Amino acid sequence: MSRRKDVPSGTLDLLVLKLVERGPIHGWGLMKRLGALTDEVFQVTPGGLFPALQRIEEYGWIVGEWGVSENNRRARFYRITRAGRRQLAKEEEHWNTIALAIARVLEGA
Amino acid sequence: MNRHLSRVVVLVRRWLGADTRKRSLDEELESFIQHDVDARIASGMREDEARRTALASIGGMRQFTEHVQGATMGASLEALVRDVSYASRAARRSGGLSLAIVGSLATGLAVTVVAFAFINAWLFKEFPGISQQDRLVHLELRRMPDGRPPGIPLDSADDYRVVRAGLSRLGEVAATTQQRMALELPEPHSVLGVFVSENYFDVLGVRIRGRTFRSNEGEPNAPVAVISDRLWRAVLARDASVIGKHIRVGGQIVEVIGVTPEGFAGTRIQLGGERPDIWLPLALADRVAPNARPVLRADNLSLVARLQSGVSADAFAAAAQSIAAQQAHAVAAQSGLAAVIQIGMDTARRPLRVAIVLGIPVLVLVIACVNAASLTLARGSRQRRDVAIRLAIGASRDRVVRQLLIESLALAFAAMVIALPLAWLALSTVEARLSLPMPIDLPVVGWTVLTTVICAVVSGLAPAFRITSQAPLRALSVSRGATATTPSETRRKRFNSVAQIALSIGVLATGTQLIALVDGQGGTGGTPPNRLLMASFDFDQLRLPPQTASAFYQRLLEGASRLPGAVSVGLARPTSVWTFGRGKGPGSVIVWAPGREPEIVIGGYAGGDLFGAIGLTLLNGRTFTAEDGTGPPRVAVVNMAYANGFPDRRAIGRTVRVASWRRQSDSEAQAEARDVTIIGVVESAGERRYSRDGSAVGKLYLPSPLGPEPALTLYVRTRQRADDLSPALHELVNRIDARVPIGDIGSLASFNERSMGASHWLARISALLGVIAVALAAAGLLAVTSYNVTQRAREFAVRLALGAEPRGLVALVVTQALKTVAIGFVVGGTLALGVTQLIAAQFHGAERVNVSAFGQSSAFLAAVMLIASAIPAIRAARVDPILNLKDG
């Protein structure tokens, strides 16, 4: 069985916001960073990532600006906004509650 | 809601900047691929292979751009479709509660739609068929003996001509006066007719089928008339060749030159009042109404003016006032009176009227919304686990709130779909009674949609926040069937119930109070109002000689007393028993009594057994004998109110001088006066609206007429419903003289009803709304209370398991429910008391509080709460606690 898993539904926004919070990052970098950080367990495809980026940008949680990447190419870098930080805090708290609940159920079973 | 609003803003912005965004996305994807290609080359791939693989991983540039755009653009629409389909599934799952919500909102909305349609028709389309109504003003010419309103109307039609000529540069002034007329088509009809100045239709801007009056119209050799659309449809069977036909009005043959547009009734429309059917030039007044009736002396010549463009109502009023003052000065040479002009703009009181009409329907709608909110909350306790799971697997709270709001919207719109036809039905029943067409047109539908959305948000938002506010962990850890009710929630539910009880009791008490008030203003005697048939006749309109009239009335008295079901029959002038708002008109006598100022007293000729027909008991002395009725009057009967005016309150045996009152001079009246001796005192017939303290007005009756009596009213006391006798009476009149139309016919109840006009209907509709409010509140309380008690099954099981007595348990639940009713009763009572005081302060003789309606509605709601709480409690108390606990 492959180790690689899809990102759990509803958590992609949380993961994107968390990665963007660490500093400006472009789409391709974000995809690679996610793979690296999860030891390649979470697999996010461009088809999933780009709609998510567009949506999150529309909510005003991140903003995209054109810049130059490490290999000297033009790239659109995303930066978190104040509203984005607030949303991130909310989603983190929400996730922790669920994780705790699930863990308790598993321990108790 | 902020989030949803920002979502809308985003959608609009995206739509506006679609091209720029697409270009930016294309560039970003290109950059993404380039980075991917670089990485692949770095890992050892050839450049062309790297590029091909990178492109394959996204499935082609163009397709990918479309996918991303589609995924974001379609997301909102998809979400909406999902929400709506989820809402309909949820509604089906909790069918009973959803139906109750829809029913409740449909009732509240239907009531509001009716109110909207009424306001729209009554206040915003005030005068059907009249163009540019905002340029019209009403003028009133009045003499003010002491320089203060109200004064009395100016007497002469010359005043009108002077004012019209003087104001011609600022606006055009038309004059009207209305009265009953006998119409022969060829069968006799008694209709309301209006004499108008020849410019009347042009001033109002009415489009007449045919033509309007010409400036010289009304010359005796070419009399003409305009008839109403109603008369043309209902009586003339839409005769296409009606224009140019000749009809007989008051014995005068006139040519029909035009038909008014549908609904047209002039600018003096009384809601629920009679509408005019024929318009004649003022110049014809003397020929059509030839007798002593002072039509052109203008008791009620009312003026309406259309302002020239650029002329303000104030400027017009000022000019009118100065012209009137000049005219008054000319007249005042003899009378020493002043005159002023009163201008009534009809839109000035509109906001207040809207508030009054909307008040009670909005309260009913509030009750319906509180119902819907309570039911949504009850439904929510069922959904709570569902919602908790959705929140746990990652749905955001906003998303779930939006979902629940869409459910509320869906239910509210379902309710609206039911409410509109319901309202239409109600309107078509009331329309005829109010003689006011009330269509459900675009503005009404617009207001209804807006109200529906407000209802959905008001009744759905609070429960939605409430349902989603609980942490998923807590909601999930509470087992199925148990209550997850917090103390604040219990308080909220109780607050809802108290509000419903208070509002509904308040509305009902106010409505019944209004009915008592309006009915109390009408005429009363000993005979029940629905057992007294009244029919009026007027020989003045017919141009028949006085002898014909007296012979007719004699035969009418004899014939009517032989009608099946007639108990006693009397004759008197139309306003000599009750005046029905017409004041002391031609139905009065002047009385000179020793020790009293000469006074104008209602009364006069009382033929047949008038007192028996009205049901006035003889208190002292005797009533008239047949012998009293022969020849001129020698004796009189007075009522208690008149008798009380004597210093020793004794009337019998006193001799007074009486004369018929026709606005003649004092010396003229003295010359024709006769001495009569008072032989009896009867009870006073009531007509409360004319006396500040509810006491009766003094009256004096005579056994035979003082002079010719062309216009009399027949009073028949009946054994069965008075209205049932009217066909037989019509037949009798036809047999006696087929030329004579019955002017007004109906029971005393219907005369009272008509004289109170709109107030009568508004009071009854308010009371009906009160009943609807109580029924709505009862249904809501029944559903919510019984549901809440059922929800407490587990709590009861625990209490029982711990040794509580089943009886004690039921008592506990019932006490809690009744406590809610008691609080609602006190709050509603205070509310009703406040409103009643307000109403009572405005009218004479209003009852202070309608205790019976108040008590009955409270008892009813208490019974509902008792049933709603006791039955599920008894059921829960009977079940073995173990079963209930296991179920959890």
Side-chain angles (χ1 to χ4, degrees), chain B residues 27-28 63 113 120 151 168 258 277 298 315 409 426 449 451 761 775 787 880:
Chain B
E27 279 177 50
E28 190 176 359
Q63 291 83 340
V113 176
N120 186 39
S168 58
D277 276 321
L409 270 172
V449 170
T451 312
W761 284 101
Y787 180 78
D880 184 352

Side-chain angles (χ1 to χ4, degrees), chain B residues 746-875:
Chain B
S747 60
L748 171 61
S750 71
F751 269 74
N752 280 337
E753 192 178 296
R754 269 179 282 164
S755 71
M756 295 311 294
S759 335
H760 174 87
W761 284 101
L762 291 181
R764 264 154 186 79
I765 289 169
S766 304
L768 179 68
L769 290 182
V771 173
I772 292 176
V774 169
L776 260 181
L781 291 173
L782 192 69
V784 173
T785 311
S786 64
Y787 180 78
N788 289 341
V789 176
T790 315
Q791 284 289 92
R792 291 171 66 185
R794 197 180 149 86
E795 177 203 325
F796 296 159
V798 173
R799 283 172 185 261
L800 287 172
L802 292 174
E805 280 288 311
R807 195 175 296 171
L809 207 61
V810 175
L812 172 81
V813 171
V814 170
T815 316
Q816 280 172 352
L818 291 184
K819 214 183 277 173
T820 310
V821 178
I823 301 172
F825 179 85
V826 171
V827 178
T830 319
L831 194 82
L833 210 66
V835 177
T836 327
Q837 295 287 346
L838 259 176
I839 297 173
Q842 302 292 317
F843 295 89
H844 315 316
E847 285 177 47
R848 288 286 160 184
V849 183
N850 190 330
V851 181
S852 92
F854 191 68
Q856 281 167 12
S857 55
S858 308
F860 174 64
L861 288 177
V864 166
M865 286 293 270
L866 192 73
I867 293 168
S869 56
I871 292 177
I874 291 169
R875 207 180 292 147

Side-chain angles (χ1 to χ4, degrees), chain A residues 9 26-28 31 46-47 50-51 54-55 57-59 66 69 71 73-76 78 94 98 101 104, chain B residues 3 7 10 14 21 24-25 27-28 31-32 34-36 38-39 58 64 67-68 71-72 391-392 473:
Chain A
S9 140
H26 53 79
W28 188 82
M31 197 174 82
F50 274 90
Q54 296 261 312
R55 192 179 57 241
E57 190 179 5
E58 274 166 12
Y59 284 146
W66 286 98
S69 70
N71 40 355
R73 290 196 181 276
R74 265 189 98 223
R76 195 151 189 258
Y78 290 98
H94 179 68
I98 291 164
R104 276 192 193 160
Chain B
R3 169 85 175 279
R7 187 91 191 115
V10 163
R14 182 192 291 160
R21 290 194 65 80
S24 172
L25 182 63
E27 279 177 50
E28 190 176 359
S31 147
F32 178 87
Q34 211 52 64
H35 280 89
D36 203 20
D38 288 349
I58 61 164
F64 188 75
H67 162 75
V68 174
T72 43
L391 287 172
L473 201 61

